[in-house]
Amino acid sequence: MAVDYFLHEKIWFEKYKYDDAERRFYEQMNGPVSSSSQQQSASTTSGPAGDQNELLSRISHLEVENQNLRSVVADLQMAIFKLESRLNALEKSSTSHQPSPVPPTQKVEPFSVPSKKVELPSASPAKKAEPAAAEEDDDDDIDLFGSDDEEEDQEAAKVREERLRQYAEKKAKKPGLIAKSSILLDVKPWDDETDMAKMEECVRSIHMDGLVWGASKLVPVGYGIKKLQIQCVVEDDKVGTDILEEEITKFEDYVQSVDIAAFNKI
């Protein structure tokens, strides 16, 4: 349809005719035109024909695209129709298989527990029990077998003393909790010429019950002097810090002083 419309439209496609008529009119008025002007006119006349061909090719290309789009739209319409028919079938099947309504739940009331009356005991049994108790007391006052009771009391006392003795022995044998402490000592030498290896050997040569030596290292103090930091674990009841310092300071050739850098209970 677009091609037919442009074929009937003559204003644009027949423009070169009007250009020729205009050129001839001006040639009659002004004389013949030179070759350059003729070439220009030829170029102007050839221009519309090229534009027309290009326009026709574009129109044919658009028609092809239009046909492709129509086929795509037709496919989409078919797919939508299939989906609608499937949805309708599913709706019909769901309505045909509706679940049965759930019966209403019945309210269950709790069983009532019958109340029981608590009857208080009357005072008459108590009064009856009092004379009986008085009679028993009177019977206890009469000691017909006093010697047997004394023998039973002595045997019970012996058994009690034996059990107490066994409990005390068992408790004494049970080991108690041993309190220990971790101590970090700073052992300082006299000067930078002190043999630190020999000093550590002397410190570790101290052996005491409840003393265990640990790791050690040399810490620089200044001017080339280093101090010995050594760790030990002691039992508080057996080894004290004062005794430990006295034993270390006995090595007067190597040790100047001993300080406690850290003290922690274990």
Side-chain angles (χ1 to χ4, degrees):
M1 294 175 64
V3 176
D4 295 335
Y5 175 76
F6 283 111
L7 288 175
H8 292 293
E9 186 68 27
K10 297 180 180 180
I11 295 173
W12 176 256
F13 297 114
E14 295 180 357
K15 184 176 181 297
Y16 65 93
K17 294 180 180 180
Y18 299 101
D19 293 337
D20 289 339
E22 186 178 2
R23 180 177 55 77
R24 290 172 186 172
F25 174 74
Y26 283 113
E27 284 180 356
Q28 289 177 3
M29 293 290 294
N30 299 325
V33 185
S34 62
S35 61
S36 61
S37 61
Q38 289 179 357
Q39 290 176 358
Q40 290 178 0
S41 63
S43 62
T44 54
T45 54
S46 62
D51 294 337
Q52 184 179 3
N53 294 328
E54 185 179 358
L55 184 59
L56 291 173
S57 64
R58 288 184 180 180
I59 290 170
S60 61
H61 183 67
L62 288 173
E63 287 181 351
V64 173
E65 288 184 353
N66 191 11
Q67 291 178 359
N68 293 332
L69 289 174
R70 285 181 181 178
S71 63
V72 171
V73 170
D75 294 337
L76 289 174
Q77 289 177 351
M78 183 60 68
I80 291 169
F81 177 73
K82 290 180 180 179
L83 287 174
E84 288 179 352
S85 61
R86 189 174 179 182
L87 287 173
N88 293 327
L90 289 173
E91 288 177 357
K92 289 179 181 178
S93 63
S94 63
T95 53
S96 62
H97 296 287
Q98 286 183 353
S100 60
V102 180
T105 57
Q106 296 180 356
K107 184 177 180 181
V108 180
E109 295 181 356
F111 294 102
S112 60
V113 180
S115 61
K116 294 182 179 179
K117 293 182 180 180
V118 179
E119 296 181 358
L120 296 174
S122 59
S124 59
K127 291 180 180 179
K128 292 179 181 180
E130 288 178 358
E135 292 176 359
E136 290 178 357
D137 292 338
D138 294 338
D139 294 337
D140 292 338
D141 293 338
I142 300 171
D143 188 6
L144 298 176
F145 305 99
S147 60
D148 294 338
D149 293 337
E150 290 178 357
E151 291 177 357
E152 291 178 357
D153 292 340
Q154 290 177 359
E155 290 178 358
K158 290 179 180 179
V159 170
R160 185 171 60 254
E161 290 177 357
E162 182 66 20
R163 289 180 179 177
L164 290 173
R165 184 181 62 78
Q166 291 177 359
Y167 176 74
E169 290 178 357
K170 186 177 180 181
K171 189 174 181 181
K173 291 178 181 179
K174 186 177 180 181
L177 183 64
I178 300 173
K180 294 182 179 181
S181 301
S182 175
I183 305 173
L184 184 64
L185 299 172
D186 283 346
V187 183
K188 298 177 182 178
W190 288 103
D191 51 18
D192 57 344
E193 295 180 356
T194 304
D195 190 357
M196 301 300 293
K198 186 65 177 176
M199 185 174 71
E200 183 179 355
E201 184 181 352
C202 293
V203 172
R204 289 183 181 274
S205 64
I206 300 172
H207 296 287
M208 300 172 66
D209 186 16
L211 172 64
V212 178
W213 294 107
S216 64
K217 64 178 180 179
L218 298 176
V219 180
V221 178
Y223 302 103
I225 301 173
K226 295 181 181 180
K227 64 181 179 179
L228 174 66
Q229 269 193 355
I230 188 167
Q231 191 173 11
C232 64
V233 177
V234 299
E235 295 182 11
D236 296 342
D237 295 337
K238 297 179 180 180
V239 181
T241 55
D242 297 335
I243 298 173
L244 193 60
E245 290 178 5
E246 288 178 1
E247 292 293 328
I248 295 173
T249 51
K250 286 180 180 179
F251 302 99
E252 298 177 353
D253 296 337
Y254 304 100
V255 179
Q256 179 188 4
S257 62
V258 180
D259 296 326
I260 298 173
F263 186 92
N264 297 315
K265 290 285 186 180
I266 299 176

